[in-house]
Amino acid sequence: MKFKDTYSDRLLVQEKLEELRNITTGPWSIMEICGGQTHAFMEFGLRDLLPEEIELIHGPGCPVCVTSLELVDRAIAIASQKNVIFTSYGDMLRVPGSEMDLFSVRANGGDVRVVYSPIESLRIARDNPGKQVVFFGIGFETTAPANAVSIIKAKELNLSNYSMLVSHVRVPPAMHAILDSPENRVQGFLAAGHVCAVMGLAEYQPIAKKYHVPITVTGFEPLDLVLGLLETVRMLENKEVNVKNAYPRAVLYEGNLQAQRIISEVYAECDRQWRGIGLIPMSGWKLKNNFSEFDAEIRFNVGTIHTKESDICISGQILQGLKKPRRMPGVSENLHTPKPFRCNDGII
């Protein structure tokens, strides 16, 4: 705990914020890809302590936000069937489909259960041999290895009543889509520490080189976030294009090789629809053919369900940094109320 508290130390954060102010001439638009980092910037009030020359753009790094409408509708179609136990992380239950959400399915009598890991879903399948148990496998590279392990174990245990509705998405193709847009405003990135803990940094080097954007891997504590910005702004100010690691206590350059081997064993790359954004080529993973027996989309024949996104929804433009949340109808201009930074030993 003491080690973690270092990264919330008020004086250290103040020191690095002052260093950031001193080097920033800007203006610079920097995207934090990860939804967890977006939440942390808001929670700690850091956004309002940054130099005014720095604009944070909140990227599409929330798996709940980018899970496509049609995949939610497929999940609802499966969960509504008799003899099915549908398992999911709790944050997916309130995500709306075209007509209802998974919470409504449960309210109407469907057996929809919140789990905290795919292994818990495996146990449910083992304990309920007369039921079909389906796990909603959402997430970026971070959750992919654990979800893949559940498929490997299901095959080893011959659990024919277990399957997964795969909704995995990948960060690098999303970055390509953002940077290829003629409306792109992103000049630098904060890369997600937990994603890079799995995949390493190698995938980001070609992106930095191709688009001439600096990328810094960082974590989620106040000091992590400020250090990530400091490295990115320093590169921008010096016209340096590189990928740097400001989260070395958790991320190695090569990433987690064992996790990568598991991903490679179970998944194949595929095109994926992103909610509000549309199709991004080769931006997702699906189960390989030798694991297709555990693919819920095939088992329940829901692949033909296609749903059109609303034309008035601007979530995709927000996630690409093209519009701000306050430009949504009915949202107050005073959406982000400044608040002090709270840390382990006081308030800035």
Side-chain angles (χ1 to χ4, degrees):
M1 183 58 71
K2 184 177 180 181
F3 182 73
K4 179 179 180 294
D5 285 349
T6 300
Y7 293 88
S8 295
D9 184 271
R10 175 173 57 90
L11 295 179
L12 282 174
V13 174
Q14 283 182 319
E15 177 186 325
K16 294 303 176 183
L17 279 169
E18 185 61 27
E19 187 176 348
L20 182 62
R21 294 186 192 103
N22 288 338
I23 69 166
T24 302
T25 62
W28 303 118
S29 299
I30 299 171
M31 173 178 282
E32 79 279 0
I33 280 285
C34 177
Q37 290 172 345
T38 299
H39 177 80
F41 271 118
M42 301 299 179
E43 178 185 1
F44 298 125
L46 287 172
R47 176 179 169 275
D48 303 298
L49 299 173
L50 300 178
E52 62 180 14
E53 294 87 357
I54 295 176
E55 178 191 6
L56 289 180
I57 298 175
H58 310 312
C62 169
V64 176
C65 302
V66 301
T67 298
S68 68
L69 185 61
E70 70 179 27
L71 259 171
V72 175
D73 280 351
R74 291 172 188 177
I76 290 167
I78 295 171
S80 300
Q81 295 188 31
K82 293 180 180 180
N83 213 40
V84 167
I85 300 174
F86 194 88
T87 63
S88 172
Y89 299 131
D91 49 6
M92 286 303 300
L93 266 63
R94 284 292 192 186
V95 178
S98 55
E99 295 183 0
M100 64 169 68
D101 54 27
L102 286 167
F103 193 83
S104 299
V105 174
R106 187 166 74 174
N108 291 333
D111 196 345
V112 178
R113 304 185 189 182
V114 174
V115 295
Y116 295 93
S117 80
I119 300 301
E120 189 177 346
S121 295
L122 275 183
R123 294 194 193 102
I124 294 171
R126 183 193 60 196
D127 295 341
N128 295 270
K131 298 276 191 177
Q132 287 291 325
V133 177
V134 181
F135 175 68
F136 200 177
I138 71 160
F140 284 83
E141 294 92 333
T142 315
T143 58
N147 292 353
V149 166
S150 78
I151 297 297
I152 294 171
K153 290 297 181 183
K155 191 160 192 171
E156 289 176 357
L157 297 170
N158 196 27
L159 283 176
S160 58
N161 65 325
Y162 177 77
S163 60
M164 184 163 69
L165 181 61
V166 184
S167 179
H168 280 301
V169 286
R170 302 172 51 237
V171 170
M175 294 172 71
H176 279 283
I178 290 166
L179 293 167
D180 280 332
S181 169
E183 299 176 282
N184 170 56
R185 300 172 49 247
V186 178
Q187 297 167 288
F189 284 98
L190 299 184
H194 46 23
V195 169
C196 294
V198 174
M199 302 304 294
L201 277 63
E203 291 182 298
Y204 297 91
Q205 295 285 0
I207 296 174
K209 183 177 180 180
K210 177 179 179 180
Y211 299 99
H212 305 287
V213 294
I215 301 169
T216 305
V217 179
T218 192
F220 306 88
E221 298 299 323
L223 187 58
D224 289 323
L225 298 169
V226 176
L227 287 173
L229 284 173
L230 186 59
E231 287 286 0
T232 306
V233 170
R234 187 179 284 119
M235 286 190 282
L236 286 166
E237 294 284 348
N238 294 332
K239 296 181 172 56
E240 178 185 358
V241 175
N242 207 343
V243 178
K244 295 194 174 181
N245 184 6
Y247 199 33
R249 70 183 189 277
V251 174
L252 302 175
Y253 180 86
E254 65 273 17
N256 186 323
L257 297 179
Q258 178 62 20
Q260 292 170 33
R261 281 193 289 270
I262 291 170
I263 288 171
S264 179
E265 178 183 352
V266 174
Y267 300 116
E269 292 181 4
C270 66
D271 298 343
R272 180 70 73 199
Q273 292 282 348
W274 293 53
R275 192 171 193 137
I277 297 175
L279 183 73
I280 301 179
M282 306 306 284
S283 64
W285 279 315
K286 64 179 181 179
L287 297 182
K288 285 187 171 179
N289 290 338
N290 54 321
F291 291 105
S292 62
E293 65 200 275
F294 300 102
D295 190 331
E297 197 168 289
I298 296 173
R299 181 173 295 187
F300 293 91
N301 193 29
V302 294
T304 56
I305 295 176
H306 297 289
T307 311
K308 187 177 184 298
E309 302 270 357
S310 169
D311 292 330
I312 64 172
C313 178
I314 67 168
S315 64
Q317 293 162 292
I318 292 171
L319 295 173
Q320 297 174 80
L322 304 178
K323 289 186 178 181
K324 296 293 186 182
R326 62 177 177 269
R327 295 180 65 180
M328 294 182 70
V331 176
S332 168
E333 286 288 326
N334 193 29
L335 179 66
H336 302 303
T337 303
K339 66 176 182 178
F341 165 52
R342 297 182 180 275
C343 59
N344 62 342
D345 60 352
I347 297 177
I348 294 178

